[in-house]
Amino acid sequence: MLRYSIILFLLFSQVGFSFSQEKGKGVVRGLLTDKETGDPLIGANIYLKNDITLGTTSDLNGNYKLEIAPGDYEIAFSYTGMKVETRKVTVIEGEVIEINLNMLPFSYEFDEITISAGKYDQRPEQLMVSTEVIGKAVIQGKNTTDISTILNQVPGVNILDEEPQIRGGSGFTFGVGSKVAVILDDMPMINASAGKPDWRLVPVENIKQVEVVKGPGSVLTGSNAMSGAIFFRNEYVGGNPRTKVSMYTGMYIAPEKAQQWWSGINYITGLSFLTAQYLDVEKSAELVVSGMGNFEKGYQGAPKPGDYPIGENNISDSDIKDYSGRLNFNFRKQSQKVTGLSYGLNGSLMLETSPMVLAWFDDTTGFYRGYPGTVLLQDKLTYYIDPTIQLISQSGNKHQLLFRIMGEQNELSNSQYTNTSSIFGKYEMSKNFKNIEGLDFVGGISGQGTYSNSNIYEAAGSTKNKVNNVSIYLELEKEIMKAITFNIGFRGEYYALNGADDYIIPLLRTSLNFKLMQETYLRVSYGQGARFPTIAERYIRTNLGAFGVFDNPDLQPETAWNSEIGIKQGFKFASFYGFLDIAGFLQEYDNTVEYLFGFWDPTYEFALAGFKFVNTGKSRITGVDVSINGQAKWGKNQSLNLIGGYTFILPVTLSPDYVFAEDYNPGGATEFSYETTSVDPSNNILKYRFQNTFKIDVEYTYSRFSVGLSARYFSRMVNLDKAIFDFEEFTSAIGGKFPPILYSNYYYNNNNGNLIFDARIAFEINEKNKISLISNNLFNKAYSLRPLKAEAMQNVTLQYLGSF
């Protein structure tokens, strides 16, 4: 893959896109001010639209100066709370162009540029599918140490036991076989053997913004994006050398109705840092180094002490600890000899010691303790290294050559292990056709090889397994009369597991954005998706006490199509500016993969019951998604930020009578279909979904003080596996020292919806120092979102943020 990518890169470089030696530069300079107040805009971003790596920021007086090579450019001017302005310029060597702007306030969302989501530099209202953007201010303000906690605040997105769900596109799978792509700087961040995201690997201290695409994304991002994609963008120096540090300390607080399993204080403490500096006087070489350390006991403990006839009973409360540390670096160099050429090297190393609790002990006093055999301790090492090359020719054609070498080593306390390594490579070219105004093209080829050595996957016949995936893709986008934007894209995917089971699947995407009137945008989109079974989904086989996870070597790929119609409306009421977005969507899946609980072992010797990945037929999800983003400002001292949304889904099976498996229920063998395996099959509702979710985050700032409140509402889970209740009856009948699995009482008495609040208050000591008091799960509610797993109780932390 490396050899072919280099050949392709050199070929495109020689055919019409030759290097040019730098001969001199021109200057674009000017003054940026707030049109309403006349105040200078300090720290505004000025950058080239086709290459955000070339840019600068305005100084304390609102002045800026940008030196660039001769050529035609489109320059973007952005500032928090202001509408992004763009200007086309022709730069001539030795000449000065002056551009002064009085910028207009609108929604703070306007300053977020979503290059990752659509491959083109677009403002949010111009995007073809529903997209939510979370900026770094929100991430830092909530003391985010694990990026999944901030994603849970995004409308239409749920992180259910590490599994990302967008608009109900998946149920619960312990995060394995994700139907949502997770992308960091244009490359996948999902464990290739299990299809599972590792949220702690995302460098929250250096994330510029998070972009969540709710809709078809497989054409540009690959097979995991069946129901959407999550993009993370690292931040470079960008004209703002800086050093930051964050320190925090706090604790978990046990709810009154559940027994505290720890003694003393269940502490939470940690720190993160970042330094971003230029390495030379020409400011052509940038280095960002960041890292974090998080240390806590965790909120889930060991099983109650006892002599149980199942599982391993040697894990005690003193063994439970959740420690992690990560170090990241991002290096980028602009060539001083070849105009438009840059190259870089990014990397990360993370060490983690943490408990994995798969099921609670019981639904009363043992709510936060693990069931015997289902508590594992893991020691994990994860790393990646990314060499990159980018060339932007004088005519604006952009070439990217990206690689990621990624590895994970995980040792579990039950003598199981997984060692996974993968190599990803991608060549991509994007081009703006200047002779055809408004026409953009992006195309590329990517490939990934994954190698796994794990005794958990021995059901394949060997501990060693491999996956190969190659894809080609292209997309055309055309703007018509500055009011209509249309695109169409294609992707071809090849996938092979252990060199035997291989598939070729074509995918299509098309969409339209139409500007109806000022700040009113209508969009329509359609996209296809496909997802291949991972090594884990087919071959995992492991015993966890009375529980088991069973292999399914016959698991087939699932395919889908996804459509949406939406409207985004900008608005202004007095001092409140923002966007209201309303979308209706329809998704259909074939060969739907579900993670089902059942009695899969006819001898009951390997495990009494457990989970298995199976194809369950056809399914459909329809719904409505409403989101609002806005900001109000009153003078220089007061502001209000708002992010919120509501999502309704109707997830149904289209083949309720389809028999897809057979289990070995002690009461008699059962043919598995939707009808026979559901707690409530009356309305054909898919399992493990919340039909109604509501999210909101509000922050009010007055002078140096700010107060924030977040709320998340999840409606009741209508349907789940009936076998979980059968298993409760079976284990309760055994008696003796065998602890029963208890869940039905909680389901029928507490499954009435959950409303969770978080709160924060902050004081800005000065421009460089800030302290915050943050409380998550403010009212300390003991609640569960997926069966047999407790969610975190209240925690309170004190955070210090400083810059130097």
Side-chain angles (χ1 to χ4, degrees):
M1 184 64 200
L2 174 62
R3 182 174 60 188
Y4 291 150
S5 297
I6 291 174
I7 292 172
L8 278 169
F9 178 78
L10 293 176
L11 178 61
F12 275 91
S13 298
Q14 293 300 318
V15 182
F17 306 117
S18 60
F19 295 142
S20 61
Q21 295 298 315
E22 183 179 29
K23 296 180 180 180
K25 294 185 177 181
V27 174
V28 180
R29 69 183 184 187
L31 173 66
L32 303 182
T33 56
D34 185 324
K35 187 171 183 178
E36 288 193 348
T37 66
D39 295 331
L41 297 179
I42 303 169
N45 293 307
I46 302 96
Y47 53 89
L48 304 188
K49 289 205 70 176
N50 67 346
D51 182 12
I52 64 171
T53 66
L54 296 177
T56 186
T57 57
S58 57
D59 62 19
L60 293 175
N61 298 312
N63 295 307
Y64 71 92
K65 180 180 178 182
L66 179 62
E67 296 182 1
I68 47 180
D72 295 326
Y73 300 98
E74 187 171 4
I75 301 177
F77 302 82
S78 71
Y79 185 79
T80 303
M82 300 291 175
K83 188 172 181 178
V84 173
E85 300 282 354
T86 60
R87 295 292 186 272
K88 293 182 178 180
V89 298
T90 298
V91 176
I92 300 173
E93 180 180 347
E95 293 191 4
V96 177
I97 300 172
E98 189 161 330
I99 300 176
N100 301 316
L101 292 177
N102 291 318
M103 298 184 69
L104 291 167
F106 199 75
S107 166
Y108 74 95
E109 186 181 23
F110 269 94
D111 75 320
E112 307 293 2
I113 306 299
T114 51
I115 296 172
S116 300
K119 302 297 183 183
Y120 308 111
D121 188 0
Q122 295 171 307
R123 288 158 53 182
E125 73 274 18
Q126 295 174 317
L127 295 174
M128 303 293 187
V129 294
S130 294
T131 303
E132 302 288 347
V133 180
I134 302 295
K136 61 183 178 181
V138 177
I139 297 172
Q140 293 176 353
K142 293 175 72 68
N143 189 32
T144 306
T145 58
D146 181 334
I147 199 67
S148 64
T149 60
I150 205 72
L151 291 173
N152 253 329
Q153 198 60 48
V154 177
V157 179
N158 299 323
I159 308 297
L160 190 63
D161 203 14
E162 299 185 19
E163 163 71 15
Q165 299 179 336
I166 294 181
R167 293 173 170 174
S170 58
F172 113 82
T173 63
F174 288 111
V176 175
S178 173
K179 297 180 185 179
V180 175
V182 180
I183 309 292
L184 174 64
D185 289 339
D186 286 333
M187 286 181 281
M189 283 289 292
I190 285 184
N191 179 295
S193 66
K196 182 177 181 178
D198 190 340
W199 302 113
R200 295 187 181 187
L201 199 57
V202 177
V204 293
E205 68 280 356
N206 191 37
I207 292 298
K208 182 177 182 179
Q209 67 184 41
V210 181
E211 302 154 12
V212 179
V213 177
K214 299 182 288 187
S218 290
V219 165
L220 289 178
T221 57
S223 58
N224 285 96
M226 292 185 69
S227 59
I230 301 171
F231 295 86
F232 301 104
R233 291 176 52 198
N234 271 318
E235 188 172 23
Y236 284 86
V237 180
N240 181 29
R242 60 200 178 279
T243 298
K244 302 188 301 182
V245 65
S246 170
M247 296 181 288
Y248 57 91
T249 186
M251 59 182 158
Y252 286 104
I253 300 173
E256 295 180 1
K257 295 182 179 180
Q259 191 177 67
Q260 176 177 309
W261 59 267
W262 64 87
S263 58
I265 296 176
N266 190 342
Y267 59 86
I268 304 170
T269 189
L271 60 86
S272 66
F273 72 93
L274 178 146
T275 180
Q277 306 294 332
Y278 290 112
L279 300 182
D280 56 3
V281 294
E282 294 85 6
K283 297 184 178 180
S284 65
E286 303 172 73
L287 178 63
V288 179
V289 178
S290 68
M292 71 87 185
N294 185 71
F295 311 95
E296 58 182 272
K297 288 283 287 180
Y299 71 92
Q300 296 178 98
K304 292 180 179 179
D307 182 20
Y308 306 111
I310 55 170
E312 298 182 18
N313 303 314
N314 58 346
I315 295 178
S316 65
D317 292 339
S318 61
D319 297 320
I320 303 296
K321 57 184 178 181
D322 194 343
Y323 295 172
S324 59
R326 175 178 39 73
L327 182 66
N328 289 74
F329 70 89
N330 300 81
F331 169 77
R332 183 171 61 188
K333 169 71 174 174
Q334 301 284 340
S335 174
Q336 296 296 288
K337 296 182 178 180
V338 180
T339 302
L341 177 65
S342 63
Y343 50 89
L345 186 67
N346 302 337
S348 179
L349 175 68
M350 184 175 73
L351 296 172
E352 179 182 351
T353 296
S354 60
M356 182 188 302
V357 183
L358 304 180
W360 64 34
F361 192 92
D362 58 49
D363 56 3
T364 53
T365 59
F367 197 76
Y368 291 103
R369 285 187 175 273
Y371 190 82
T374 69
V375 180
L376 299 176
L377 306 179
Q378 60 179 352
D379 292 309
K380 187 161 67 171
L381 165 68
T382 311
Y383 66 88
Y384 67 79
I385 189 164
D386 303 341
T388 64
I389 301 174
Q390 177 176 282
L391 172 66
I392 300 178
S393 71
Q394 287 292 304
S395 57
N397 303 305
K398 182 177 180 181
H399 305 267
Q400 282 185 305
L401 195 58
L402 309 175
F403 295 96
R404 170 161 289 165
I405 301 168
M406 190 171 184
E408 178 182 300
Q409 299 175 10
N410 195 5
E411 300 286 340
L412 301 174
S413 56
N414 62 351
S415 299
Q416 294 183 331
Y417 63 89
T418 58
N419 297 320
T420 303
S421 60
S422 64
I423 301 176
F424 173 84
K426 178 171 75 170
Y427 166 75
E428 182 175 285
M429 187 192 84
S430 57
K431 177 179 177 62
N432 174 263
F433 292 86
K434 294 186 176 181
N435 58 331
I436 308 176
E437 184 177 357
L439 179 63
D440 293 295
F441 165 84
V442 61
I445 179 171
S446 68
Q448 184 167 8
T450 302
Y451 309 90
S452 173
N453 183 12
S454 172
N455 56 5
I456 298 177
Y457 307 144
E458 282 187 293
S462 170
T463 62
K464 298 179 180 180
N465 294 273
K466 62 180 181 180
V467 172
N468 293 310
N469 177 229
V470 178
S471 61
I472 58 172
Y473 61 92
L474 59 89
E475 185 171 277
L476 285 170
E477 184 168 304
K478 179 71 172 72
E479 185 180 39
I480 304 171
M481 297 182 297
K482 298 189 180 298
I484 300 174
T485 306
F486 170 79
N487 74 13
I488 186 167
F490 167 83
R491 189 181 189 98
E493 289 265 359
Y494 169 78
Y495 175 90
L497 177 56
N498 289 332
D501 297 322
D502 56 347
Y503 306 90
I504 298 177
I505 296 181
L507 302 171
L508 178 69
R509 175 196 181 197
T510 184
S511 50
L512 179 77
N513 185 299
F514 179 44
K515 184 176 181 179
L516 297 175
M517 59 186 71
Q518 186 65 29
E519 309 308 341
T520 303
Y521 297 83
L522 176 70
R523 64 182 183 275
V524 181
S525 64
Y526 168 86
Q528 297 173 329
R531 195 184 66 81
F532 307 99
T534 62
I535 295 172
E537 288 173 286
R538 276 199 171 179
Y539 298 127
I540 188 170
R541 188 173 180 85
T542 182
N543 184 300
L544 302 168
F547 287 94
V549 183
F550 296 82
D551 58 298
N552 183 3
D554 298 321
L555 191 69
Q556 296 299 304
E558 57 181 332
T559 57
W561 61 268
N562 195 320
S563 61
E564 175 189 272
I565 181 169
I567 189 166
K568 183 180 283 284
Q569 175 66 58
F571 61 83
K572 179 180 183 292
F573 298 112
S575 298
F576 187 66
Y577 304 82
F579 277 116
L580 175 67
D581 191 286
I582 303 174
F585 54 88
L586 169 63
Q587 309 169 53
E588 282 202 6
Y589 294 84
D590 197 6
N591 271 344
T592 306
V593 174
E594 298 280 346
Y595 197 40
L596 296 187
F597 192 88
F599 295 84
W600 302 109
D601 179 8
T603 66
Y604 308 114
E605 294 177 0
F606 174 73
L608 298 180
F611 290 92
K612 183 178 181 178
F613 292 95
V614 293
N615 297 109
T616 61
K618 296 179 179 293
S619 60
R620 174 189 295 153
I621 301 171
T622 54
V624 177
D625 202 351
V626 181
S627 65
I628 185 171
N629 294 266
Q631 182 184 69
K633 285 188 176 182
W634 302 278
K636 296 181 180 180
N637 294 325
Q638 294 187 76
S639 66
L640 179 74
N641 290 330
L642 170 67
I643 303 172
Y646 165 75
T647 304
F648 168 77
I649 62 170
L650 184 62
V652 298
T653 177
L654 299 180
S655 48
D657 300 320
Y658 170 61
V659 176
F660 49 81
E662 182 175 293
D663 86 335
Y664 305 94
N665 193 304
T670 303
E671 287 188 336
F672 260 37
S673 68
Y674 172 86
E675 289 282 351
T676 62
T677 62
S678 295
V679 168
D680 183 2
S682 58
N683 295 312
N684 292 338
I685 301 297
L686 295 176
K687 301 167 187 173
Y688 307 113
R689 267 75 167 187
F690 306 106
Q691 288 190 259
N692 297 274
T693 57
F694 172 75
K695 314 279 183 73
I696 190 169
D697 182 271
V698 182
E699 182 174 274
Y700 171 75
T701 299
Y702 179 79
S703 188
R704 296 183 179 183
F705 288 92
S706 63
V707 178
L709 182 68
S710 300
R712 303 181 301 279
Y713 171 75
F714 306 88
S715 63
R716 69 184 300 267
M717 186 174 285
V718 174
N719 196 13
L720 66 152
D721 291 330
K722 180 177 175 292
I724 293 178
F725 293 169
D726 295 338
F727 192 49
E728 178 175 330
E729 294 179 6
F730 180 61
T731 56
S732 297
I734 294 176
K737 295 182 178 180
F738 197 103
I741 296 289
L742 303 177
Y743 180 69
S744 60
N745 181 68
Y746 179 88
Y747 178 78
Y748 288 119
N749 293 289
N750 297 278
N751 182 37
N752 300 311
N754 289 290
L755 179 60
I756 311 301
F757 292 93
D758 303 331
R760 60 193 184 274
I761 184 170
F763 174 67
E764 191 176 274
I765 301 170
N766 52 43
E767 290 183 357
K768 295 186 176 182
N769 296 277
K770 180 181 178 181
I771 56 173
S772 304
L773 183 64
I774 302 154
S775 176
N776 295 319
N777 192 355
L778 181 63
F779 298 109
N780 207 1
K781 184 172 184 176
Y783 70 106
S784 173
L785 294 180
R786 72 97 165 145
L788 305 176
K789 180 181 184 295
E791 298 297 322
M793 71 276 283
Q794 182 186 16
N795 67 70
V796 178
T797 56
L798 180 66
Q799 178 194 39
Y800 163 76
L801 285 172
S803 58
F804 309 93

